[in-house]
Amino acid sequence: MPGYVPPLEAIRFTLRAVTPADTPIPLLPDEATLEAILDGAGRLAAEALAPLNPIGDREGCVLENGTVRTPAGFRDGFDAMRDGGWCGLDCAEDHGGAGLSYLIHSTVGEIFVSANMALQMYAGLTHGAYSAILAHGSEAQKALYLPKLANCAWTGTMNLTEPQAGTDLGLIRTKAEPAEDGSYRLTGQKIFISAGEHDLAENIVHLVLARAPGGEPGTRGLSMFIVPKHLPEEDGTPGARNAVHCLKVEEKMGIHGNATCVMAYDGATGWLIGELHKGMRAMFTMMNEARLGVGLQGYAVAEAAAQAAAAYARDRLQGRSPLPGPHEGAADPLIAHPDIRRMLMDQRAFLEGARALTYWGAAQIDLARTGDAEAEARISLLTPVIKAFLTDRGFETAVTAQQVFGGHGYIEETGVAQYLRDARIAMIYEGANGVQALDLVGRKLAGDGGRAMMAFFATMKAEIAAATEPELQGIAQALKAGSKDLQAAAMHFAEHGLKEPAVALAGASDFLSLFGHVALGWMHLKLARAALDDAGRRERQLALAEHWAGRHMPATALHLARIRAGAASVMALPAEAF
C-alpha cells in the first residue's frame, strides 16, 4: 500500500486562504522560508516518521526496570525531529526556538501527526509544558526549563487525572507539603499520563496538579507544580532521580507507540509554578492549547486514512459500474462506483474544511498573544467546536476509510485499522467531547453577555454578503440557512436554559455539531472564494464546497429539531431502568 504523502499543495493553498492580512505580527514567513519548512517537514514525515508508525503499533511501549522502552526506531525518529529544530518552531529565539508563529507550528504538527501520531505526541505535550512555564513560571524556572523544552532535550507532561478524578478535577487527592527550602513534597498517583516515562530524552518535566495546605475544597484549592524526573543540578544538567516513577504502562486500543503511564509520586520534590491555589489557571494554558492540538489530531490521522482509502479505491477491481464509460477487463476499480465516490467526497470535504478551521484557530491564538482581545474571544468560543467536532468527524472519516477497504479494512496487515484505533482516543482525552459540548453551551455561549457568539453571527452575515460571485451563491445560501439554524438554537437555550437546565444540557452535543457544520461551511466558502482565480484549485474547491453545502449543511436542521425536542425523552426513564 502507498504510504502517507504530505498534502503540501493543499496546505499551502489553505494557509494563504485563511491567514488574516495586516496582522501586528507576521503569521507566515517569506515564501522561500515557508517552502523550505513545508518541504523539509514533508520529507521527514514521509521518509522517517511514517515508516515507524506500524512498528509503533505492533511493538508498543514496554516497562522494564522502571524505564519505558519505546518501539524500535522511535529514538532515531525523535532525534531527527529534535536535531532538525522541528520541536521549537514557535518557541522564542532566546530559548533556542525559531520564533515563528503558532500557525506554522500547527501546520508542521499536522504533517507529523498524519505520519506518526504516537511519536509526535512526545513533542506535542512538551510544547504544552513550555507554554505553561512561559506564561506562569518564575524567571528562574523559565531560564532553567524553557531552553531544554524548546528543543525537546527534556520532554514535558501534564499530570491531572487520578483514579477517582477524571473530568471532575475537584476530586484530586495528590498532596503537596511545603519543605523548608521552599520546594514541596508531592505524594499521590496520577493515571493516563501520556509520555509519562520513556527513553527518548534525558529528563522528563512533569507539571502536576496537587492540593497544598490551606487550599479550599474543589478546583479552587489546587496548585500546579514542576516535578522533574531527575532533579536539576546547579549547572542545569539532570542530577539525582526524583521520587516519581511509572507503575504501569496502559494497554490501549490505539497510539501504542506513546507510553500512557500510571505515575506514582512518593514524596517527590516539586516547585510551585504560578500562584498558590491558582493551579487551574496554569493548567488551562496547557489545556486550551492541547484541545486545539487534539482537534488537529482528529483530522490529521483521518487524512492518512483517507489517502489510503483513495489509493485502494483506484487500484481495487470490484464489480461493474452502472455508469456509462469505457469498461475494460473483468471489473472496474472501486472508485468508479458512485457510493464509493460518495465516501471519498465526504472524507475530502471534511478534511479540507477541518484543516482550514484549525489553521484559522491557530492564527487566532497568535493574534491573542499580541493582546488582541477579540481574537482571544473568538478562539475561546471555537475551541470546544474545533476539539470535539473535528475529532468526532475525524473518527467517522477513519471508519469510512476502513469501509472503502471492505473486508481488507478489518485486516491489520493493510494498516487502515490502526488509523481508526489511533483516531478514537482524540474524542476522549483533553476533555471528552460531551464535556466540550457542555463547556460550549454552559460557559462559552453566554460568556461576556454573549458577545463572542453575536460577533460570530455578524461575521457569518458579512462573509455571506461578500460572496457576490455567481459560483458561490449556492454555497453562501447553505451557510446562511445553517447560520439561521444556529441562531435559532442559541435563542432556544436563552429562552429555556435558565429555568430548564436539562434542556440545554440534553441539547449540548447537538448544538456543538450544528456549530461545527456551520464553521466548516464558513471555511468552505472562504476556500472556494480564494480559489476562484486559481486555475489549479478552482474546480476542486468549488466541488468540495458544493458537496459540503448540499450533503452536510442540511444536518443543521436535524440538530435544531433535536434541540427543540427538549429533554423530556432523554430524562424519561429513571436511572434504575438502564
Side-chain angles (χ1 to χ4, degrees):
M1 180 194 301
Y4 165 68
V5 179
L8 300 186
E9 195 277 328
I11 288 172
R12 293 184 189 99
F13 170 76
T14 305
L15 284 170
R16 297 187 184 102
V18 305
T19 301
D22 302 322
T23 55
I25 57 170
L27 300 183
L28 297 178
D30 61 80
E31 284 293 323
T33 302
L34 179 60
E35 289 300 307
I37 291 171
L38 294 180
D39 290 346
R43 283 196 305 274
L44 177 61
E47 297 171 6
L49 306 185
L52 298 174
N53 200 38
I55 297 172
D57 188 54
R58 288 194 304 269
E59 292 189 6
C61 296
V62 180
L63 179 61
E64 296 177 337
N65 300 320
T67 299
V68 171
R69 174 174 54 79
T70 54
F74 265 46
R75 248 192 265 187
D76 290 338
F78 196 70
D79 285 346
M81 294 170 61
R82 179 167 46 209
D83 295 345
W86 297 106
C87 301
L89 288 174
D90 71 322
C91 296
E93 293 179 271
D94 290 347
H95 305 141
L100 297 171
S101 64
Y102 185 76
L103 174 58
I104 291 297
H105 163 81
S106 298
T107 304
V108 171
E110 175 198 325
I111 296 170
F112 289 172
V113 169
S114 292
N116 194 325
M117 176 176 168
L119 179 55
Q120 193 276 338
M121 285 175 63
Y122 293 96
L125 291 158
T126 303
H127 189 277
Y130 173 94
S131 296
I133 295 174
L134 178 65
H136 302 284
S138 67
E139 292 305 314
Q141 288 169 341
K142 294 176 186 178
L144 173 60
Y145 292 104
L146 295 186
K148 302 287 190 181
L149 294 171
N151 66 6
C152 281
W154 296 0
T155 61
T157 74
M158 180 165 53
N159 281 235
L160 311 180
T161 307
E162 298 181 3
Q164 79 292 340
T167 300
D168 189 354
L169 296 176
L171 300 178
I172 282 177
R173 296 174 185 163
T174 297
K175 294 182 179 180
E177 296 291 340
E180 292 183 1
D181 62 0
S183 64
Y184 286 77
R185 300 294 178 266
L186 275 74
T187 302
Q189 186 179 109
K190 299 288 184 176
I191 64 171
F192 303 156
I193 307 306
S194 299
E197 172 60 37
H198 58 79
D199 57 0
L200 302 179
E202 62 182 9
N203 205 359
I204 302 173
V205 181
H206 302 291
L207 297 191
V208 185
L209 273 184
R211 200 172 296 282
E216 59 184 280
T219 56
R220 292 183 180 181
L222 296 174
S223 303
M224 181 170 276
F225 300 89
I226 300 175
V227 186
K229 174 182 174 179
H230 291 280
L231 300 173
E233 300 284 4
E234 289 187 8
D235 62 0
T237 59
R241 179 69 186 261
N242 204 352
V244 51
H245 58 277
C246 174
L247 295 177
K248 176 186 178 184
V249 174
E250 301 286 4
E251 294 185 18
K252 309 185 296 295
M253 175 180 176
I255 53 169
H256 296 155
N258 193 269
T260 303
C261 301
V262 177
M263 303 296 297
Y265 292 82
D266 300 319
T269 300
W271 290 268
L272 179 70
I273 174 173
E275 298 179 53
L276 191 64
H277 312 315
K278 302 291 185 182
M280 292 297 289
R281 184 182 304 168
M283 184 274 290
F284 272 113
T285 297
M286 292 184 73
M287 185 67 81
N288 286 334
E289 179 183 303
R291 286 174 175 170
L292 189 73
V294 172
L296 182 150
Q297 287 180 336
Y299 82 83
V301 174
E303 168 69 40
Q307 286 189 18
Y312 186 79
R314 285 190 291 266
D315 293 341
R316 177 72 168 175
L317 301 178
Q318 288 286 286
R320 180 67 71 199
S321 171
L323 302 181
H327 300 289
E328 300 176 0
D332 291 323
L334 283 174
I335 203 167
H337 295 273
D339 194 57
I340 296 294
R341 199 69 69 86
R342 171 190 63 82
M343 289 191 276
L344 297 180
M345 281 295 285
D346 284 349
Q347 291 175 325
R348 190 48 50 195
F350 162 70
L351 291 167
E352 304 226 353
R355 174 180 294 120
L357 183 61
T358 303
Y359 289 3
W360 173 88
Q364 301 311 303
I365 288 180
D366 280 317
L367 296 176
R369 289 175 177 176
T370 70
D372 186 333
E374 292 183 359
E376 175 69 36
R378 287 191 292 267
I379 190 57
S380 179
L381 175 68
L382 268 294
T383 290
V385 178
I386 292 172
K387 192 280 181 186
F389 189 70
L390 300 195
T391 58
D392 279 345
R393 293 300 293 259
F395 177 70
E396 181 181 320
T397 298
V399 171
T400 302
Q402 186 185 49
Q403 192 71 15
V404 171
F405 275 79
H408 291 284
Y410 203 65
I411 305 301
E412 291 288 349
E413 183 181 356
T414 64
V416 73
Q418 182 189 350
Y419 296 130
L420 187 152
R421 290 185 285 100
D422 286 354
R424 185 63 182 88
I425 185 57
M427 299 165 67
I428 299 173
Y429 63 10
E430 305 304 345
N433 286 356
V435 174
Q436 301 300 319
L438 297 179
D439 177 49
L440 176 63
V441 169
R443 295 178 62 244
K444 304 297 177 61
L445 181 58
D448 194 24
R451 287 184 177 85
M453 196 73 225
M454 295 306 296
F456 180 82
F457 289 134
T459 298
M460 294 303 97
K461 186 176 180 179
E463 294 267 5
I464 293 164
T468 58
E469 297 86 351
E471 301 94 327
L472 303 181
Q473 291 310 297
I475 303 163
Q477 289 306 307
L479 178 58
K480 184 177 182 179
S483 183
K484 285 184 176 180
D485 287 342
L486 185 62
Q487 287 180 280
M491 288 300 298
H492 184 80
F493 288 153
E495 293 170 6
H496 298 278
L498 288 178
K499 55 186 177 182
E500 302 174 77
V503 169
L505 300 180
S509 289
D510 277 293
F511 185 80
L512 188 147
S513 188
L514 199 170
F515 205 153
H517 279 86
V518 171
L520 261 65
W522 171 35
M523 289 297 120
H524 272 295
L525 182 60
K526 277 181 170 291
L527 294 172
R529 194 174 187 191
L532 288 179
D533 297 323
D534 186 337
R537 300 289 302 187
R538 179 187 171 95
E539 182 178 352
R540 173 191 180 86
Q541 293 307 142
L542 285 172
L544 291 172
E546 289 165 358
H547 183 81
W548 187 263
R551 296 189 69 99
H552 294 274
M553 288 301 291
T556 63
L558 168 66
H559 290 300
L560 176 59
R562 288 175 173 170
I563 290 167
R564 284 175 168 165
S569 67
V570 173
M571 305 302 293
L573 295 179
E576 60 270 18
F578 290 94

